[in-house]
């Protein structure tokens, strides 16, 4: 994760503060103007947590449904994650997955839920 502008709203700052490096994609869904996905973050030393992210007013760029399904199937891991203001208003979450998927979620607000998770949820591709 790189430096985040300090003038972001609280919900966007909370997203930017989550260390998603190495997090595995567990599932995803898209309904009307919301995109949601759940990532398994953490490691055996720090413990694991499920991070459920729902972007409101969302548009997902650079990937399609087939690629998102493959990311779940392959337990794709996050290589990079950065939240930035979008040039045309709103925000963008830039995510690069190790399986060579790069996506950008453009959104207006975000809901973030975090919950402890057992280590056995971590899948080894």
């Amino acid at each position: 994760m790189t430096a985040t502008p300090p003038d972001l709203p609280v919900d966007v700052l909370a997203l930017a503060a989550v260390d998603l490096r190495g997090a595995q994609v567990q599932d995803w869904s898209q309904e009307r103007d919301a995109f949601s996905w759940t990532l398994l973050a953490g490691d055996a030393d720090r413990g694991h947590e499920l991070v459920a992210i729902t972007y409101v007013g969302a548009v997902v760029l650079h990937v399609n449904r087939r690629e998102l399904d493959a990311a779940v199937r392959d337990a794709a891991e996050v290589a990079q994650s950065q939240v930035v203001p979008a040039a045309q208003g709103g925000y963008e979450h830039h995510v690069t997955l190790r399986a060579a998927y790069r996506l950008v979620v453009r959104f207006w607000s975000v809901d973030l839920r975090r919950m402890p998770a057992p280590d056995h949820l971590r899948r080894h591709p």
Side-chain angles (χ1 to χ4, degrees):
M1 182 150 75
T2 60
T4 303
D7 57 343
L8 298 176
V10 172
D11 61 334
V12 179
L13 277 173
L15 173 62
V18 177
D19 183 3
L20 293 177
R21 268 188 320 266
Q24 288 183 330
V25 179
Q26 300 293 299
D27 63 36
W28 72 275
S29 65
Q30 190 160 18
E31 196 172 313
R32 287 183 235 131
D33 73 338
F35 174 73
S36 300
W37 61 348
T38 302
L39 304 165
L40 179 66
D43 57 37
D45 294 332
R46 294 179 295 165
H48 288 93
E49 67 176 339
L50 288 171
V51 180
I53 305 169
T54 300
Y55 309 86
V56 179
V59 176
V60 181
L61 307 169
H62 308 300
V63 295
N64 59 39
R65 289 180 171 279
R66 187 179 69 251
E67 292 166 326
L68 287 167
D69 287 342
V72 171
R73 181 187 66 243
D74 300 340
E77 293 184 358
V78 174
Q80 291 182 306
S81 171
Q82 181 181 20
V83 179
V84 298
Q88 63 278 28
Y91 307 93
E92 291 182 348
H93 190 185
H94 296 245
V95 180
T96 302
L97 300 174
R98 289 201 177 106
Y101 304 106
R102 180 181 171 272
L103 65 131
V104 173
V105 182
R106 191 170 292 150
F107 64 97
W108 289 100
S109 65
V110 64
D111 178 54
L112 181 70
R113 286 175 287 131
R114 300 168 75 170
M115 57 219 94
D119 293 344
H120 71 79
L121 288 182
R122 183 126 191 112
R123 296 179 286 154
H124 298 284

